[in-house]
Amino acid sequence: MSTIFAPASFLKSAIAATLLSSTAILATAHAADFRLGVRADALTIDPIASSDNSSIWLELQVYDQLVRPSKDGSKLEPAIAESWTISPDGKEFTFKLRPEAKFSDGQPVTAADVAFSLQRAAGEKSEWARFFKPITSYQVVDDHTIVMKLDKPFTPILNNLALFSASILPAKLVQQQGDKFFEHPIGSGPFVLKSWTRGQGEELTKNPNYWEKNKPSIDAVSIEVVPEDNSRVLKLKAGELDAITDVPYNQAANLKTDADIDVHAAPVFRVDLVQLNTTKKPFDNESVRQALNYALDKEAIVKGILRGNAKPTTSSIPVMAYHNEKLKPYPVDLAKAKELLAKGGVPDGFKTSMLVAAGDVTARQVASAIQASLRKVGVEVALQTIEDSSQFSTTKSGNYEMSLSYATSDTIDPDQLVGFTAVNPERANAFHTQWKSDRVNQLYADERQTPDGPERAKQFQEIEAVVHEQAPFIFLYTPNSAYANRKNVSGFEVVPTANYVLKDVVVK
Amino acid sequence: MKLLSQETVRRFKQNRNLQVGLFLLAVIVLTSLFGPSLVPYDPEELDFGNPLLAPTLQHPFGTDDLGRDVLARVVAAGQVDMQVVAVCVLLPFLIGSTIGLVSGYFGGWIDRVIMRFVDILWAFPFYVLVISIVGALGPSTTNIYLAFSLVVWISFARIVRGEVLLARRLEYTLAASVLGYSHARIMLRHILPNVITPAIVFMMADVVLTILGVTSLGFLGLGIQPPTPEWGVMIADGRNFIQDGWWISLFPGLAIVLVGLTFTLIGDGLDDLLRPKA
Amino acid sequence: MTEPLLSIHHISKTFPMARNFRDVVTRSPRQTLRALRDVSLTVRPGEVVGVVGESGCGKSTLGRCIAGLETPEHGDMLWQGAPISAGENRRTRARHIQMVFQDPYASLNPRMTLGQTLEEVLRVHGLAGDAARRRERVDELMLMVGLAPALKERLPHTISGGQRQRICIARALAAEPQLIVADEPVSALDASVQAQIINLLEDLRAKLNIALIFIAHDLNVVRHISDRVAVMYLGEIVETAAAEALFTRPLHPYTRGLLAAIPIPDPKRRTSVPSVEGEIPDPLSPPIGCGFSTRCSHVIHPCRVRHPDLHQTGEHGVRCLNPAATRPFADPGSVYPATGNQ
Amino acid sequence: MSAAHNTLAVEHLRVTFGKAPNAATAVDDVSFEIRQGEVFGLVGESGCGKSVTCRSLIQLFGGSRPSAMTGSISFEGRNLAALQPKDLVKVRGSEIAMIFQDPMTALNPTMKVGRQIEEGLRQHEKLSARQAREKAITLLKSVGVMAPERRLDSYPHAFSGGMRQRVLIAIALACRPKLLIADEPTTALDVTVQDQILKLILKLRAEIGMAVLLVTHDLGVVAQTCDRVAVMYAGRIVELATTEQLFAKPSHPYTRALLNALPAHGGRGGRLQPIGGSPPSLAAPPPGCRFHPRCSLAIPACELQQPPLAAIQEGHSAACIRIGEPA
Amino acid sequence: MNLLFFCISRLLQLVPVLLGITIVAFLLLRVMPGDPATLMLGSRGTPEDIAALTSQLGLDRPLWQQYLSFLGDIARGSFGRSIAYKAEIGPLLIARLWPTLALVGLSTVIAVLMTIPLAMYTAVRRNGAVDHAVKFFFVTAMAMPPFWLGVLLVLPLAIAVPIFPVSGYGQDWLDKLHHLALPAFIIALGTAALTIRSLRSSIIAVLGADYVDTARAKGLPERSVLRRHVFRNSLTSTISVLAVHTSWVIGGTVVIETVFGIPGLGSLLVASISARDYPMVQGLTVTFAVLVVVINLLADIAYSIVDPRVSLS
């Protein structure tokens, strides 16, 4: 009996063919100067419809705003507006636009474009309308001058104008094209969106008309979506990417040993905490809440799970402008914790449950550590994983006891997070803890009308102190954002508002 | 009804697949039952002092990034996974076989309606349907049971119905009908014992598919929820350490392969053993 | 002449064929396979009626209609003069009519022992009283069909084909029927075993006065066992008569061809020309006239256009338009004595 | 006829399947010869080894291959049993052809009938495609298939059983073989078609002048078709005779019992005389004469040795130690 | 001609199945807990906003009206608007379709290339060393979770010896092929495990068929017997196995695309489910089911080409 195939030789030739094709492919060079690997793809590039980081970060490359946060997140600096003045009563803002600012199609950026864009951002279709509604009128003085008026002072408005959602769009084109505009968007930012393959990434090219001299330094960027953390790291190591964001903490140390790679940790305006539902016993008791804070070994979590890429926090406000330096994180003190538990009426501890986002590996690990830590004072925590996207709606409905979560700030002003995590009633009823402090509410109302300065600083610092003391949360830490690039890249940065900056990137 | 005839015993003795398969099954069952008390580590105990230890005598499967003993976790996960798989296989087997039996035996419009429905469900890829259902209802063990039952019964229904259609034409069935036996008796005593073999054999193959399915759900974060140890989740968690902690992902995967191999062997063996010789 | 046990009047049975897309497009009517066309038959108590014909002639369908496995569309079936309605209780019918099938290998539930198979009949029909009495009856039945009661612990696949067929007969007997339909009961068996089963059936008939409808394609066997014989072709009876009359004086050309085609176990009598030419027409589109007209050597024009009726002369019926073509027929058996019997 | 030379001579053929202890000797020490142009019948009940015997000749065993095969098969001077596989392939189809029992399964369902006929022709006679096609048409005509030009392009499922058997005969006879092996060629067919096919084989035998080895279980077919016949029981030939001799004076008790068990062709003749018991297992045949447990004439000596074929008269022999005794 | 009729009739038979698919997908998404409008608006939604969006999405209408408008969306090729992408779903699906098709296609090709020689060799030389080795290897391969293989194989094949890229999809077609090779191979292992088994046993069955003996009796050399008579007739059952399995593979892309970061339908499904993008999940389930139906149709046609009996009955 004879055979008609010889499997061995077939396999050999198949392998040979594969090898040949792979070397051929390795030889083809990438068109882009700079290849960035990110975790998720943008969903949209319409600034008023964005709420996910990927979309926001992409928009920040393509569009420009009147003002922008400085890279260190400490203050606002001029962007399209080269200067601005605020009336003494804080109700009138006058912006002077840069005459050299142009959209990527060469058209100048005018005051009319600004008025249109901000009115759109405050409009019905906008998801960010409340941030701009305090502005009651726009007055186009000339092509390069615009005056905005408020009914009453609203200090955070300037910071809101630095938000991506306040991006300046070419009024005429958006009006003409409607939604189609965003298929080929035109902005005045440093880059132009050349192509976008959904789920795969974007190709950006330099905006030749960008107002900042000699920026960007590179001609083209490709942003590649690599959802898996490990793959992103491996691709960086393999040289398939020049830089990546969201380096998993547990990989950062290992990555540092690679001679070709620089790893960075950027502090960002985010705070991780455990929400405590103060409508439920025993979380209604301040002593119990403090006890939990004393019982938890935050340092161990930071060291063991975040590999040092975080700092324990004192309140629900991250370290940013107007931070209260005098506060210190709750120390680990089991005796104190037990004493406080006894004072709160639960000397032997209690049983409770904690929501954890299912998709977040770090959160799951931190939850395990919290579970182990609290067990030492007799508090048995059952972990209850929950679909990431429904965690917010679940805590909002009040149907929880503890919930491991975090809050981030889109602006460099603490107003946003104070409103979100400490004020009740307000947008989130103190981040769904239902904790309420009349003092904090009063301070919040005051701070919004107080011009920037030491007066406003005092107000914020008192808010922080109250939150720290009454502990509606277990305060955990404020993490760094780890990112990495190959050594031949410089100027790639993640800034405190967590977005990356590409315009200063130089590739050697 | 005589199941263990001498003939069967003789055939079992020659059936290497089944012997090896049953041996491995015994190993798996015993490990799940007694393993947790033999391994001196708590599968959920964090030990920040000993992260990412390579396999040694102390930790035969090493430790993970949080210092947990991988062996303890693999064993604990085995208990969880095997339990889930057992329910996810048995429920659809019972539902599907019953529907297939009734549909095939009575034929007519009942059969047409059921089979149309089966055709439609059949078009949805297994993973797509399971993931959509679990995703929609939320990841919980009950929902996993529900999703698998809703999806997998059609396989059993198709298999049993096909066999019933053949058996219904066989002369012993005709004879039972001529003898005036009730439909229930004909179905349960004459048809069912003779058609269930392929379904049982497929059930073994289904164990393999189900263990892959359940662990895939875990891998995607849609399955059994941490901190309950689960093989798919462990593999997913180990991905980040594939270079300096390959053992975290390797061993749970090997456990899955072992289970798969075991049931494939048992399936092949049962096929040989139960197929009636003319 | 006694009252007939079973009488069948003009029954028909058609099976609709699946219509495919092409049929729908070409608007061709749904095809039906007419398995039985206007068949009438009577069986008297204790009588053996043979039904012969080649594959696809409808003889098995006839048997299945009688046993209740199929329901004829037209015509009546009477049991001792009373109509058997379609919705009749299957249990009652089972006590009257039983069936033995062709393939002894498929006729027994492979997962039940022989004893269980027999006992089940007794239990379902509430025969033979309590469990102990049932066990006795099972032994009796096994002895009746010539099997050692010790075999009752065995599973079907451990016994021979002949033994299985005996169990099938015993199972039919267990219901104490008055009529057994035997559908090719010996064609799957070797010659030496065939004879055992035929003898058994004859004995039972003699002992229990059970009537038998014996369906077979082997004319020698049918001739051996039957009182009367019906010859079927394309779903209808083309000739029916007392066995001897049919074999010695066949009237229908098809019957004669069939008889002539049997290989005679006698080398001295050989022919070199086939007895019947051609093959059975497509049963989905049978000829308009006489079904056999396409192969008949005596065909005349009317045969091709007119469908003949069954013409009855006393006990002997024939469905032929040209009985004139029926020349004297020499029964080979009467000229050449059987060689086997010494 | 008797002077004609042997086309085939089989000597001491023994074919075993399976490994000890479950080894079954399906054919045990079988010897016979087939003369040029004759129809040689091999008759016996199922499992007696007749099919295995004829399949051994060209070593085609379907799915199950024997574990051992000894003896010599002398065909036209060559020992087929000792031939290399590639040489045996050359003999198949060109010099020895074979047709099988079930025409419904013996044709490739996915190949047009024409190609199946042409294939053998092109293999052995190196014909061009056109020549092969023409020859195929002629062949189909000669086996009585109407409109052969059209039928060549049909697939087998469009043919009835009888027509398929005709096609298989056409395939077998394509290269005018010297020996046609027909393994129960009509068992699956209706009696009128069987009649047609047997007569077709006889007619073509006369035209081509080939020898035919006809395997059957039907003594009627033997009587109607064969020149000489061997009766097999449990793997051995128990009687070998011309057809006339066999029917006139069946000598082995088994042959006689077989004939007696048939329902008489001539009418309703009392009780049949079945053979008691059932055929023995080939894996563990009874000692001595294999028929003795079922034989009405058996004496204790029958248990002791396997009787050899002993001549009764010219061309007629039987394997029974009681042959010499008065019946 | 017969084949044409066969194809048309199979297409017509698909209509009710396709309708059924849309109904199942539609109902599946209606039983999901949670309110799409709330999810779409996230933390910024006021009750008025939510009510407005609910009516804009038509979620306040009776079920049958919602279904009809869903059918209308499908007819326009749009499937409605994505919650996450805030865009028409149709074009998004099309863009994601090609990587998935390429992956499934490539893995099938690899599986077939493995299957044919190995199945033939092991069937002819059954119970030999190669047969046992192949059997053991593929039985094991079948039990290997593809995601696990994906995680593990990256280490030797993409890092230690960088033959394959770590993940992603690539730019031009050659680059894409290179990116898909490893995931396709992993899928193909599972497929080949089934098809080798199936083809091997049907070859063995066919080798024992009467017509194969007929072919041998003609004097055809074993090579020709295998090629002309055995191979083609063995294919039929394997085609069905392959078709049934392809539906499994298409579903399996959900996992493997996630592992290798391939921007196909599968990874989109996982992302859409965690984003609670209901309309997208609905569109995806329909798309997946239609893919399976189309592949089964192709298999039926292939089957009827291989076996002429099919198209006639």
Side-chain angles (χ1 to χ4, degrees), chain E residues 106-276:
Chain E
L106 184 62
S107 79
T108 307
V109 169
I110 294 174
V112 168
L113 287 180
M114 283 198 279
T115 300
I116 291 174
L118 287 178
M120 286 215 124
Y121 189 90
T122 55
V124 173
R125 298 268 169 90
R126 58 179 169 279
N127 295 326
V130 176
D131 187 17
H132 287 302
V134 166
K135 186 181 171 199
F136 180 78
F137 177 76
F138 281 101
V139 163
T140 317
M142 198 154 58
M144 288 183 193
F147 58 90
W148 178 67
L149 271 184
V151 168
L152 283 190
L153 287 184
V154 160
L155 191 57
L157 295 180
I159 301 168
V161 188
I163 303 172
F164 297 107
V166 172
S167 81
Y169 185 48
Q171 307 298 321
D172 55 44
W173 68 269
L174 200 63
D175 195 21
K176 284 174 180 164
L177 208 60
H178 187 206
H179 277 81
L180 291 180
L182 188 56
F185 175 74
I186 288 171
I187 297 176
L189 273 185
T191 310
L194 282 181
T195 50
I196 288 178
R197 212 179 152 106
S198 149
L199 189 58
R200 175 184 174 276
S201 65
S202 51
I203 289 175
I204 289 174
V206 171
L207 278 172
D210 285 355
Y211 57 82
V212 173
D213 269 354
T214 303
R216 288 186 180 132
K218 282 179 215 170
L220 295 184
E222 198 62 24
R223 257 178 113 85
S224 315
V225 173
L226 284 176
R227 209 180 55 228
R228 289 187 216 158
H229 295 272
V230 176
F231 182 60
R232 186 169 178 168
N233 285 294
S234 316
L235 277 184
T236 46
S237 64
T238 308
I239 288 176
S240 328
V241 168
L242 194 62
V244 168
H245 187 69
T246 307
S247 115
W248 172 265
V249 167
I250 288 178
T253 58
V254 171
V255 182
I256 208 82
E257 282 179 4
T258 308
V259 174
F260 282 95
I262 296 164
L265 296 173
S267 48
L268 182 58
L269 178 68
V270 175
S272 303
I273 281 176
S274 41
R276 304 255 132 188

Side-chain angles (χ1 to χ4, degrees), chain A residues 1-7 10-11 18-19 21-26 28 30 41-44 49-52 127-128 130-131 179 196-200 203 224-228 230-232 234-235 238 240 387-390 392-393 396 420 427, chain E residues 38-40 42-46 81 84-87 92 95-96 113-114 116-118 120-121 124-125 154 158-159 162-172 174-179 181 216 222-223 226-227 258-259 261 263 273-276:
Chain A
M1 216 163 279
S2 63
T3 58
I4 60 172
F5 290 99
F10 159 75
L11 276 179
T18 318
L19 284 174
S21 62
S22 67
T23 46
I25 289 159
L26 292 176
T28 60
H30 277 273
D41 193 14
L43 298 174
T44 175
S50 313
S51 50
D52 60 299
E127 298 182 11
W128 298 86
R130 67 163 69 237
F131 287 76
D179 277 355
W196 180 10
T197 313
R198 291 282 188 173
Q200 230 187 311
E203 298 290 326
E224 192 178 330
V225 178
V226 187
E228 287 305 322
N230 194 45
S231 303
R232 214 159 49 244
L234 294 175
K235 281 175 91 83
E240 292 173 37
E387 192 62 39
D388 304 27
S389 47
S390 36
F392 188 86
S393 52
K396 185 176 185 180
F420 186 68
R427 287 193 295 147
Chain E
T38 314
L39 287 164
M40 282 172 81
S43 57
R44 290 173 294 276
T46 63
R81 278 182 81 84
Y85 284 93
K86 302 178 176 74
L92 290 171
R96 293 292 200 121
L113 287 180
M114 283 198 279
I116 291 174
L118 287 178
M120 286 215 124
Y121 189 90
V124 173
R125 298 268 169 90
V154 160
I159 301 168
I163 303 172
F164 297 107
V166 172
S167 81
Y169 185 48
Q171 307 298 321
D172 55 44
L174 200 63
D175 195 21
K176 284 174 180 164
L177 208 60
H178 187 206
H179 277 81
R216 288 186 180 132
E222 198 62 24
R223 257 178 113 85
L226 284 176
R227 209 180 55 228
T258 308
V259 174
I273 281 176
S274 41
R276 304 255 132 188

Side-chain angles (χ1 to χ4, degrees), chain B residues 1-3 5 7 11 105 169-183 185-186 189-191 193-194 197 274-278, chain C residues 64 67 69 90-91 94 97-99 101-113 116-117 120-121 123-125 153 155 157 164 171 175:
Chain B
M1 220 144 296
K2 220 173 162 183
L3 283 173
S5 64
E7 168 75 6
R11 274 157 71 178
Y105 182 78
R169 293 210 305 266
L170 282 181
E171 292 169 346
Y172 62 80
T173 315
L174 298 179
S177 179
V178 173
L179 283 162
Y181 295 170
S182 68
H183 293 303
R185 171 175 288 270
I186 296 177
R189 245 177 104 71
H190 294 270
I191 294 185
N194 291 297
T197 303
L274 294 179
R275 199 189 302 129
K277 293 267 156 78
Chain C
R64 292 161 64 103
L69 289 172
R90 297 190 312 147
R91 283 184 56 159
I97 305 173
Q98 273 308 309
M99 189 159 178
F101 296 89
Q102 169 172 7
D103 183 357
Y105 293 90
S107 293
L108 293 171
N109 183 341
R111 306 227 182 248
M112 283 170 82
T113 65
Q116 285 169 334
T117 297
E120 187 179 27
V121 186
R123 210 173 32 223
V124 168
H125 288 286
E153 296 304 320
L155 283 169
H157 70 266
R164 289 181 197 210
R171 178 176 59 189

